[in-house]
């Protein structure tokens, strides 16, 4: 199956008895019931429900491996660190020791689980693609370029960091509805998202469109014949 480099990916290690509860209280998905061997995505949001970063959390047992994005890492750490207070949480950046790929065009039957194959951790975050993480001494090379991957994303209407998943958008408009848990407790940005859902008014939404069919300012990922756009 094709693999593409995940160029903006970063990796952090979150340790401490309160780490999972801490993430749960600051992001959109329900995280507190995760167990070892599971992988789950969530979105850190501002008080105005705008996206800070999309996180992929691997429950490793004694710690959480949290894949984030280098372009957003400083902003995220500034957001979460002052909120640790007296909670038992430490965060360490281990990005420089690792490499990242996306394997796509697959049919995952074990979404929400991760496994290690030949030294590569496969996080099955979606039925159609997996996140691959390996240390630098393991061979895990991309096989296709970014252009092919983005054409596949457009066809499958999959939002991505730096394109649809940006600080301009909230998770619902960016196509991350499945990561906004409908029944979890309070978290930063929750009130606004809950109101949008209850009223059925999320504003803009992610849509696959034919090229030249909408104003270019709404286009988030440009393809050869179709594009992704966030429109009303």
């Amino acid at each position: 199956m094709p693999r593409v480099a995940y160029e903006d990916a970063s990796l952090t290690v979150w340790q401490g008895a309160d780490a999972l509860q801490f993430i749960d209280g600051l992001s959109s998905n329900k995280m507190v019931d995760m167990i070892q061997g599971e992988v789950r995505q969530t979105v850190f949001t501002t008080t105005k429900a705008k996206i800070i970063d999309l996180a992929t959390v691997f429950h490793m047992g004694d710690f959480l491996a949290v894949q984030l994005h280098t372009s957003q890492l400083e902003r995220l750490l500034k957001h979460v660190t002052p909120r640790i207070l007296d909670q038992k949480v430490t965060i360490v950046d281990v990005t420089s020791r690792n490499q990242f790929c996306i394997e796509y065009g697959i049919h995952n039957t074990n979404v929400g689980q991760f496994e290690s194959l030949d030294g590569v951790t496969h996080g099955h975050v979606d039925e159609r693609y997996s996140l691959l993480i390996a240390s630098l001494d393991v061979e895990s090379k991309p096989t296709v370029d970014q252009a092919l991957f983005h054409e596949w994303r457009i066809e499958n209407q999959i939002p991505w960091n730096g394109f649809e998943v940006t600080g301009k958008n909230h998770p619902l408009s960016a196509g991350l509805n499945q990561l906004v848990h409908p029944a979890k407790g309070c978290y930063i940005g929750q009130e606004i998202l809950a109101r949008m859902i209850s009223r059925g008014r999320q504003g803009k939404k992610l849509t696959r469109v034919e090229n030249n069919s909408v104003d270019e300012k709404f286009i988030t990922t440009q393809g050869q014949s179709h594009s992704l756009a966030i429109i009303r």
Side-chain angles (χ1 to χ4, degrees):
M1 292 298 163
R3 291 184 181 185
V4 65
Y6 198 174
E7 295 174 339
D8 193 34
S10 64
L11 187 66
T12 54
V13 172
W14 300 49
Q15 290 181 295
D18 300 322
L20 196 57
Q21 179 70 51
F22 183 63
I23 292 174
D24 186 83
L26 294 175
S27 64
S28 63
N29 206 357
K30 186 176 181 181
M31 308 300 288
V32 290
D33 59 347
M34 284 187 72
I35 61 174
Q36 183 175 354
E38 289 185 341
V39 60
R40 191 175 300 176
Q41 293 187 307
T42 190
V43 185
F44 288 93
T45 49
T46 68
T47 54
K48 295 183 178 180
K50 298 296 186 180
I51 297 169
I52 298 175
D53 204 2
L54 168 65
T56 303
V57 180
F58 295 77
H59 198 313
M60 310 300 293
D62 294 336
F63 65 92
L64 306 173
V66 183
Q67 182 268 311
L68 298 162
H69 297 91
T70 301
S71 59
Q72 305 303 322
L73 185 57
E74 182 177 357
R75 183 181 178 215
L76 178 71
L77 292 177
K78 286 182 178 179
H79 175 72
V80 303
T81 302
R83 293 176 166 86
I84 293 176
L85 301 176
D86 59 350
Q87 296 179 82
K88 296 178 180 177
V89 180
T90 61
I91 305 171
V92 178
D93 181 8
V94 296
T95 304
S96 61
R97 308 177 200 170
N98 294 278
Q99 56 183 315
F100 311 87
C101 283
I102 297 294
E103 187 172 68
Y104 66 95
I106 55 182
H107 300 285
N108 281 327
T109 58
N110 52 348
V111 174
Q113 307 293 318
F114 67 86
E115 59 187 330
S116 182
L117 301 171
D118 299 322
V120 180
T121 298
H122 295 241
H124 305 303
V125 295
D126 188 278
E127 292 179 354
R128 299 158 292 181
Y129 69 90
S130 295
L131 166 61
L132 278 53
I133 303 176
S135 60
L136 296 178
D137 60 348
V138 174
E139 187 165 343
S140 179
K141 295 181 179 179
T143 60
V144 298
D145 63 20
Q146 297 289 324
L148 287 175
F149 173 63
H150 292 308
E151 286 292 342
W152 176 83
R153 279 204 310 108
I154 293 167
E155 181 180 351
N156 289 275
Q157 202 166 312
I158 294 175
W160 210 249
N161 179 66
F163 293 84
E164 297 72 37
V165 183
T166 74
K168 296 179 181 179
N169 302 315
H170 56 74
L172 302 178
S173 66
L176 300 175
N177 306 55
Q178 76 280 10
L179 304 185
V180 179
H181 196 279
K184 71 171 287 188
C186 184
Y187 59 91
I188 295 176
Q190 182 264 346
E191 183 177 346
I192 294 174
L193 294 173
R195 187 163 60 246
M196 288 179 178
I197 293 171
S198 65
R199 296 178 179 177
R201 296 179 180 177
Q202 70 174 51
K204 298 176 181 179
K205 65 178 182 179
L206 179 63
T207 307
R208 180 175 177 265
V209 298
E210 291 185 3
N211 286 352
N212 303 315
S213 65
V214 301
D215 194 307
E216 285 189 6
K217 68 182 180 181
F218 299 120
I219 299 296
T220 54
T221 304
Q222 181 81 49
Q224 293 183 353
S225 63
H226 290 75
S227 296
L228 293 180
I230 295 180
I231 56 178
R232 293 190 182 278

